[in-house]
Amino acid sequence: MNYIQTEIDGVWLIEPKVIRDERGYFMEAFKEEEFKMHIGDVHFIQDNESKSSFGVLRGLHYQKGEYCQSKLVRVIKGKVLDVAVDLRQSSPTFGKYVSAELSEENQRQFFIPRGFAHGFLVLSEEAIFIYKVDNAYAPQAEASIRFNDETIGIEWPIAEEQLLLSPKDKTAPSFRDATYFE
Ligand SMILES: Cc1cn([C@H]2C[C@H](O)[C@@H](COP(=O)(O)OP(=O)(O)O[C@H]3O[C@H](C)C(=O)[C@H](O)[C@H]3O)O2)c(=O)[nH]c1=O
């Protein structure tokens, strides 16, 4: 696997080794010891999966305080633009974002540490998105920031009128009005 640091400290791109033969492919999608050596000792406790159609945008979400989550995300069907926003108020990149195109073709993974808002936009007809988290689901601690907040300025490649969002995401607060971790 290749572990690639992104422009935001703590966020990594991971490219697994895909072994192809006439039957298809095999890859080691996650190896705890290797992950620990390159990124750190993250103890994942829950696996999530969601399926979405073209133009679905899920995010920007995070869990607050002691319930915040690290996420190791990947796409097993289709293609998404995945985005992580730094909400660590002591970080030099506070309010900045980093994005990556994740797909079943490139098999790339994104590691997003605690302290970030996360979201993705589906670029293919359909996408199945799977991810590991290191803290359990805590609805009482859920928070969100609107996807098109001007301060963050994420460049989404699909026009707003084509997007499909949950009611929660349609009414998410601005970055300025959001409540953070610390
Ligand atoms: C996250 C989560 C949700 N749920 C239930 C709550 C709702 O009944 C249903 C859909 O939840 P929601 O609309 O919040 O799902 P997404 O919009 O995909 O939310 C996720 O979207 C972005 C991409 C994230 O990074 C977060 O993991 C998460 O917030 O699943 C659970 O039962 N367990 C869970 O861990």
Side-chain angles (χ1 to χ4, degrees), residues 121-139:
L121 170 62
V122 178
L123 303 174
S124 51
E125 189 181 335
E126 206 171 59
I128 296 179
F129 189 86
I130 63 174
Y131 54 115
K132 296 179 178 301
V133 294
D134 69 342
N135 220 349
Y137 177 51

Side-chain angles (χ1 to χ4, degrees), residues 18-30:
V18 183
I19 302 159
R20 299 183 189 282
D21 64 26
E22 64 277 5
R23 297 167 299 171
Y25 72 82
F26 178 89
M27 68 175 180
E28 294 176 345
F30 175 73

Side-chain angles (χ1 to χ4, degrees), residues 12-13 27 31-32 37 52 55 85 90 93 96-97 109 115-116 137 153 161-165 178:
W12 291 75
L13 208 52
M27 68 175 180
K31 283 189 97 160
E32 186 176 1
M37 186 172 67
S52 313
V85 181
S90 52
T93 50
K96 302 294 182 203
Y97 78 94
Q109 304 178 20
F116 281 72
Y137 177 51
E161 54 271 15
Q162 286 186 278
L163 300 183
L164 178 55
L165 292 93

